Amino acid sequence: MATVLIAGNVHLTYPNLPRQSQHTFLRLKAFPFGRYPLRNILPRSGDLAAWQPTFNSHQVIHCFNQIPLTRQPWLITFEQALPYDRESWLTPLLTQRLAADNCVKLIAISDYAKLKLVQALKNHRLQKKLLKKLDIVHPNFQIRADRAKRYRNGEPLNLIFVGNQFARKGGIVALRLAKKANELKLPIVVHIISKLSFDSPTDHLDPSNYQPDLELLNLPNVVFHQQIPNSKVLELLAESHFQLMATLHDTYGYSVIEGFSVGTPAITTNVCALPELIHPSDNGYLLYLELDESRQWKKWMHGSMRQTDEYWQVLDSTFNNLADQALVKLQEFFNHANSSLIYEQLSEGALTHMKALHDAEKANQWFDQLYIDIAQKKHL
């Protein structure tokens, strides 16, 4: 067995590590002061992995979104490009560290992450060397259902939205869809799980723009759960017919996979890694945004433009368009002569996709063998 030091982005570790490993994981506080990491002290150092010293020996270092300065063998899991901050003074050094012999593996969590890395390394002299180290390993979760769910024709359809960053994740779209469904007297109930944050990079900087939509939380076909424990989220995902995640930007979409784990198909946008998860009419439906060459939303505005009326008009029309697309998909579902069979196939498709790409047991075996090989220097 090996001792594996875990460093970097904590949020990224949970779905991208083996869940029942034979190895020991060593988690240290960030250097220098735990809650006050180096990036808070040294400008533009967020891509550098640094941890407090330890007397515990370890044979492997597994980093997440951050690159270490070390002579020990290490690997890195990432969700976009490496290094992420292309304007940092550390970027040339950290890129060179990726090419070092003791960096034995680059693990992209999606084809989208690989695409972003390839684009970041375009025309770079190290591109070929780095891509030889690259594997794609999707996040893994426990499979919680052993059979497809069922839907009876004509029964109310329960949709669930999960996301604290409310506008970016698609909460506004969910509320506007609920309003349209209520006006048309469609049997649709929308469940909202969120703390209603508006601090995402895609959000308009004037939160008052969202107030009319937030009043829709009082609609008779909306159930607002606020923030609840993850165990309760999983229960509601299992009880819902579809997860709705009309996101403007998401490097992955972990809640979609958690929904798949209980057999719940999803309705999502086509951004970033989501088309790798959702296959239309197989395990859900896609809503279409205009994308750039990086598979990101093309109309996303940045900096001071996020304060403008122009950007609010873009957001407003985009939310309406996505709500209309979702409504069409659901009306087609309701009007299908065999909605119950269609739904069972979608639920079965969600479980099949889960078993193929996200099975925690398969991930456990792959990572455990990799750690053994690295500790025994079979990859060096």
Side-chain angles (χ1 to χ4, degrees), residues 42-335:
L42 188 63
R44 309 198 80 96
S45 64
D47 289 330
L48 178 62
W51 52 87
Q52 293 181 359
T54 177
F55 291 107
N56 295 317
S57 63
H58 47 277
Q59 294 76 48
V60 182
I61 300 171
H62 191 164
C63 294
F64 292 80
N65 275 1
Q66 292 182 332
I67 301 168
L69 302 179
T70 180
R71 294 181 179 180
Q72 288 187 283
W74 62 281
L75 65 151
I76 184 167
T77 294
F78 65 99
E79 59 184 336
Q80 291 202 68
L82 290 171
Y84 181 76
D85 187 350
R86 308 308 299 174
E87 298 180 1
S88 171
W89 56 278
L90 279 168
T91 294
L93 171 62
L94 296 182
T95 303
Q96 189 65 41
R97 293 305 305 152
L98 295 172
D101 290 340
N102 67 326
C103 174
V104 297
K105 187 70 68 177
L106 308 180
I107 301 177
I109 68 169
S110 65
D111 185 66
Y112 164 72
K114 175 183 176 180
L115 171 66
K116 294 289 285 184
L117 180 64
V118 169
Q119 290 176 337
L121 294 172
K122 186 177 180 180
N123 299 323
H124 198 287
R125 62 183 179 81
L126 295 175
Q127 185 187 62
K128 288 185 179 180
K129 184 173 184 178
L130 296 186
L131 294 183
K132 287 181 180 179
K133 301 182 180 185
L134 183 66
D135 276 325
I136 297 175
V137 182
H138 287 265
N140 68 89
F141 290 87
Q142 178 185 350
I143 300 173
R144 301 174 183 274
D146 56 8
R147 66 185 66 182
K149 298 196 298 188
R150 296 186 178 182
Y151 169 79
R152 290 177 298 177
N153 284 23
E155 72 174 314
L157 199 68
N158 284 292
L159 307 182
I160 184 168
F161 166 82
V162 182
N164 286 326
Q165 294 191 329
F166 195 66
R168 173 179 68 84
K169 288 276 191 176
I172 300 298
V173 176
L175 290 176
R176 293 190 185 187
L177 172 63
K179 179 182 179 183
K180 293 173 186 290
N182 188 54
E183 291 170 348
L184 294 171
K185 294 182 169 50
L186 292 174
I188 292 175
V189 178
V190 177
H191 295 261
I192 302 290
I193 301 174
S194 179
K195 66 178 182 180
L196 305 180
S197 293
F198 294 94
D199 55 1
S200 167
T202 62
D203 290 348
H204 197 278
L205 293 177
D206 182 357
S208 66
N209 285 305
Y210 298 106
Q211 191 56 43
D213 287 296
L214 291 178
E215 293 174 5
L216 300 178
L217 288 167
N218 298 314
L219 285 170
N221 62 338
V222 172
V223 182
F224 182 32
H225 298 274
Q226 300 184 21
Q227 283 186 286
I228 56 177
N230 191 60
S231 59
K232 183 61 177 177
V233 174
L234 287 169
E235 287 180 17
L236 287 173
L237 279 168
E239 294 167 2
S240 299
H241 295 102
F242 288 96
Q243 181 176 178
L244 177 62
M245 189 174 131
T247 180
L248 299 180
H249 181 78
D250 242 286
T251 55
Y252 203 83
Y254 295 130
S255 67
V256 170
I257 307 306
E258 290 193 284
F260 282 178
S261 77
V262 293
T264 303
I267 303 171
T268 74
T269 48
N270 60 329
V271 298
C272 304
L274 287 166
E276 301 171 50
L277 314 182
I278 303 299
H279 305 288
S281 300
D282 180 27
N283 56 10
Y285 302 109
L286 281 177
L287 311 176
Y288 292 92
L289 290 168
E290 189 177 358
L291 306 181
D292 63 17
E293 66 280 1
S294 297
R295 287 177 20 195
Q296 296 181 166
W297 179 41
K298 196 171 186 177
K299 296 184 178 180
W300 186 356
M301 294 185 186
H302 304 273
S304 61
M305 290 299 295
R306 292 172 58 203
Q307 185 70 48
T308 62
D309 291 340
E310 178 187 357
Y311 189 44
W312 175 249
Q313 291 169 6
V314 168
L315 287 169
D316 186 48
S317 63
T318 300
F319 293 148
N320 276 332
N321 178 266
L322 292 173
D324 286 339
Q325 287 187 55
L327 181 65
V328 168
K329 296 293 184 185
L330 294 172
Q331 286 176 315
E332 290 175 351
F333 176 82
F334 278 127
N335 293 333

